[in-house]
Amino acid sequence: MDKKNINEQIKRDFIFINERVVNIKRKRMLKLFSIGISGAVIICGIIWFILWYNDIQLHEVVKSEKERLVIRKNNRRMNTESEDSILDNHKDDVAPISEEKMKQKVTVVSYNRQVGEHPGRAKVITSIHKSGLIVNVSDGVYILVHDDELKKNEVVTVKFSNSTVGGQVKVSYPDLKLALVYVSRENVSQKELEHIEAAHISLQNTYAEHMGILDIGNPVEQECTVKKGALTLSTNVVSIVDAQIQLEGTDILPSHNENGFIFDMNGKVIGISYEDISNHISVLTMSEISNLLNMMIREEDVPYLGIYGREVTKEVIDTIDDKMSKGIYVSSTEVDSPAYQYGILNGDIIVKVGNKKVTNFDEYNQAVLSLKPNDEAVIVVARKGAEGYKNIEYKIMVGTMPENS
């Protein structure tokens, strides 16, 4: 083969090899490009899934927050109803009143009780005296008494500043240790009526530590006693039927037969005095019972399920069982109560009452109070079985809170 032909052959071979190299490079580039596109699609898919999932979570958070705000709104609405009915004199800008004026808001409610009987001897009767707070004077005088012995329709005597008159127990709930006494305006002289005014009620939920307070009461039917002190940071949670209440601590030492009312230094009533386990006076704030007191004055039946319980908090879940649901853990049910009769068991966790989700006692209290006695309500509980917790739905006929009669 001559030199010219050899060069042509080499040239053709070089072109062929070059084309193969270029084609291989192109294939590699196409492959890398395909991999890149696939990777981008996968990454975009992952990002879309994360955003979609977070959107669902955000939606749930927003929904939960809306429900919480609705509950708070309903709570404010119910408190407003209280102001319109029982707390007709509740104002945030009321002028401060003197200690003497404060004492005029507190009365003495007296009744008799048999304490013993011996054969051949007369019955032993004692007179019991309790402090009463004037809470409404619209169509008569309504007096709140912290007592668990008064019976509905029982006749009592009420001592005002200048006279003693007869009254009658309108409502009495022994488990709540609350009773409401009514005095007809016809039983009170016009002169006395001119001096009778309802107490100014504070509906605040929280108060400042070390806030000055006055404990005013008539523990032994003597001249009204006044003890000065301050609030502390200590609190004590007390379970009662279908509710849980929080008592605020004070530095006031109790006296014999403690049953006064706690005023702030401007003359507003912030609560009822309780003797607690620390041997100091605690305060059941009026905001805790305002809705119930509203029902009592209207003589409305208070809805009743008959449950004692405690909150299942995140801390409880983390400590005991991460499969538990937030809600109200049923410690016990009252015998013959609706919850007892329809089969709610100790250990159940109430997660829904009516159409309201329940995660804490504030939500549970509001949900129960929104029910109507003698109506059917759906109660959903989480019950633990062999395969974990399972939601069980009960249709329960709502009862009426038992009265002391």
Side-chain angles (χ1 to χ4, degrees), residues 163 165 185-196:
S163 62
V165 301
R185 299 177 75 90
E186 297 175 356
N187 293 350
V188 187
S189 68
Q190 186 60 40
K191 184 177 180 180
E192 186 74 88
L193 281 174
E194 293 174 358
H195 295 91
I196 296 176

Side-chain angles (χ1 to χ4, degrees), residues 59 257 303 311 354:
H59 177 73
N257 194 22
E311 284 186 17

Side-chain angles (χ1 to χ4, degrees), residues 55-154:
D55 184 64
I56 290 178
Q57 297 300 310
L58 181 61
H59 177 73
E60 290 298 321
V61 170
V62 171
K63 182 180 178 182
S64 176
E65 184 66 14
K66 283 182 178 179
E67 289 177 352
R68 187 180 68 82
L69 292 174
V70 167
I71 290 171
R72 292 182 61 186
K73 182 179 179 181
N74 289 339
N75 192 20
R76 289 194 296 270
R77 178 181 59 78
M78 294 180 76
N79 280 340
T80 302
E81 291 175 354
S82 298
E83 294 168 19
D84 291 340
S85 55
I86 66 167
L87 306 180
D88 54 335
N89 62 338
H90 169 70
K91 305 288 183 186
D92 290 329
D93 57 351
V94 294
I97 61 174
S98 65
E99 190 176 298
E100 194 60 36
K101 282 280 190 181
M102 295 182 209
K103 291 193 290 185
Q104 292 178 9
K105 315 296 183 184
V106 181
T107 67
V108 178
V109 176
S110 303
Y111 58 93
N112 296 327
R113 282 292 179 271
Q114 179 179 327
V115 294
E117 184 176 6
H118 303 281
R121 298 184 184 180
K123 294 179 180 179
V124 180
I125 304 294
T126 187
S127 183
I128 299 174
H129 312 292
K130 295 286 184 179
S131 299
L133 180 72
I134 302 172
V135 293
N136 187 280
V137 293
S138 56
D139 59 348
V141 183
Y142 290 87
I143 302 165
L144 178 65
V145 184
H146 176 214
D147 184 90
D148 59 357
E149 292 188 11
L150 284 170
K151 301 180 184 299
K152 184 178 181 180
N153 298 323
E154 182 174 1

Side-chain angles (χ1 to χ4, degrees), residues 206-224:
T206 58
Y207 296 92
E209 184 187 8
H210 305 311
M211 186 183 83
I213 56 173
L214 301 174
D215 182 9
I216 300 178
N218 296 273
V220 289
E221 201 187 6
Q222 296 177 353
E223 184 177 351
C224 203

Side-chain angles (χ1 to χ4, degrees), residues 23-43:
N23 289 336
I24 290 171
K25 286 183 177 180
R26 285 175 179 172
K27 288 180 180 179
R28 285 179 180 176
M29 289 297 294
L30 287 173
K31 189 175 182 181
L32 289 173
F33 181 75
S34 299
I35 292 172
I37 293 295
S38 299
V41 170
I42 291 171
I43 292 172

Side-chain angles (χ1 to χ4, degrees), residues 99 102 207-216 226-232 248-252 261-271 273 281-283:
E99 190 176 298
M102 295 182 209
Y207 296 92
E209 184 187 8
H210 305 311
M211 186 183 83
I213 56 173
L214 301 174
D215 182 9
I216 300 178
V226 179
K227 290 179 287 187
K228 296 184 179 181
L231 294 176
T232 65
E248 304 294 334
T250 78
D251 60 2
I252 301 176
F261 296 89
I262 305 298
F263 290 69
D264 66 17
M265 290 303 182
N266 291 326
K268 281 189 175 183
V269 179
I270 67 173
S273 60
I281 295 299
S282 289
V283 186

